[in-house]
Amino acid sequence: MSQNFTFTDTTESLSAVLQRLIGNLSGKTITLRELMEAIGEQGLLLMCAIACLPFLIPVSIPGVSTVFGAAIVMISLAITLNRLPWLPKRILDKQMETARLVPALQKGVSIVSKLDRYMRPRLPAFTTGTIVARVNGIAIMVAGILLMMPLGFVPFSNTLPGVAILLFSAGMIQRDGATVLGGYLFLILTMIYFAALGYGAFWAGQGLSNSLTSA
């Protein structure tokens, strides 16, 4: 798929849209392809919102990190380039357990419902226009890459970029520039946190190396 696309406004709350889609999920397993077919071509940002929900709660679902992380990165690239996304068949058709995925998404929707109370159209400079959409798309891509890093055992390493992606997606869907700015705040916090982790790991390695050489 290579045609251009535009984002459509919605007056329906994000939590209601997500709840309706999740309610339609059935079967023992589900694939990313099936999720995207249920959402439709105009739901790229909605797909990002759904994909980040499992990372907002302390739950481990095998395969979700790779599949949803890759989906977020590729969708954000599509938003940046103003093209519908291409995803490899291996990612699109990887089976995920519905019985474990749906409860995680439901808990994520409860978080979104709290966010709905504060969202409204405002600060349009951060949500409208091709250039703004591309800049926001790059920001989502960066958050998606950080989300995919194999640091699931480190506290908040998934939560911080997941919140950033949710705020970007929700803000762009609801045309709420303040929520988008919140996404940038969490992205900055994520980058600072990851830099601190890298700095700590470097000096821990230096200390270990020094202790070995001095032994």
Side-chain angles (χ1 to χ4, degrees), residues 35-102:
L35 269 178
M36 295 187 74
E37 287 175 352
I39 293 169
E41 291 183 347
Q42 294 296 331
L44 297 182
L45 290 169
L46 186 57
M47 185 65 233
C48 281
I50 289 177
C52 74
L53 294 182
F55 301 101
L56 304 183
I57 58 176
V59 63
S60 177
I61 307 174
V64 166
S65 178
T66 301
V67 174
F68 279 3
I72 290 170
V73 170
M74 295 305 296
I75 289 172
S76 63
L77 179 61
I79 292 171
T80 303
L81 299 177
N82 196 33
R83 294 287 188 275
L84 290 173
W86 173 87
L87 289 169
K89 188 176 184 296
R90 179 174 60 85
I91 295 293
L92 282 172
D93 295 330
K94 184 175 178 60
Q95 300 288 332
M96 297 174 285
E97 294 182 34
T98 307
R100 300 184 67 175
L101 179 60
V102 170

Side-chain angles (χ1 to χ4, degrees), residues 12-211:
E12 190 175 9
S13 70
L14 181 59
S15 59
V17 175
L18 292 173
Q19 187 65 60
R20 186 176 66 251
L21 285 168
I22 293 169
N24 292 331
L25 301 183
S26 60
K28 188 175 181 179
T29 61
I30 190 168
T31 65
L32 181 61
R33 185 190 302 275
E34 291 167 339
L35 269 178
M36 295 187 74
E37 287 175 352
I39 293 169
E41 291 183 347
Q42 294 296 331
L44 297 182
L45 290 169
L46 186 57
M47 185 65 233
C48 281
I50 289 177
C52 74
L53 294 182
F55 301 101
L56 304 183
I57 58 176
V59 63
S60 177
I61 307 174
V64 166
S65 178
T66 301
V67 174
F68 279 3
I72 290 170
V73 170
M74 295 305 296
I75 289 172
S76 63
L77 179 61
I79 292 171
T80 303
L81 299 177
N82 196 33
R83 294 287 188 275
L84 290 173
W86 173 87
L87 289 169
K89 188 176 184 296
R90 179 174 60 85
I91 295 293
L92 282 172
D93 295 330
K94 184 175 178 60
Q95 300 288 332
M96 297 174 285
E97 294 182 34
T98 307
R100 300 184 67 175
L101 179 60
V102 170
L105 294 179
Q106 293 281 14
K107 291 178 181 178
V109 169
S110 69
I111 297 174
V112 175
S113 65
K114 295 180 176 65
L115 182 63
D116 275 336
R117 303 172 190 171
Y118 305 100
M119 285 196 300
R120 63 182 185 274
R122 53 188 165 177
L123 301 179
F126 295 97
T127 61
T128 56
T130 302
I131 294 177
V132 170
R134 290 180 176 179
V135 172
N136 290 341
I138 292 173
I140 295 173
M141 187 188 310
V142 172
I145 292 171
L146 294 175
L147 188 66
M148 290 183 67
M149 294 187 71
L151 296 174
F153 59 92
V154 178
F156 307 114
S157 61
N158 283 340
T159 305
L160 288 174
V163 170
I165 293 166
L166 176 60
L167 292 177
F168 281 128
S169 303
M172 292 175 72
I173 290 172
Q174 301 289 353
R175 297 292 189 262
D176 186 349
T179 300
V180 171
L181 285 177
Y184 280 104
L185 173 62
F186 270 89
L187 179 58
I188 291 171
L189 290 175
T190 303
M191 295 174 74
I192 293 173
Y193 184 58
F194 275 58
L197 290 176
Y199 183 80
F202 172 78
W203 283 109
Q206 287 289 97
L208 179 60
S209 176
N210 292 337
S211 65

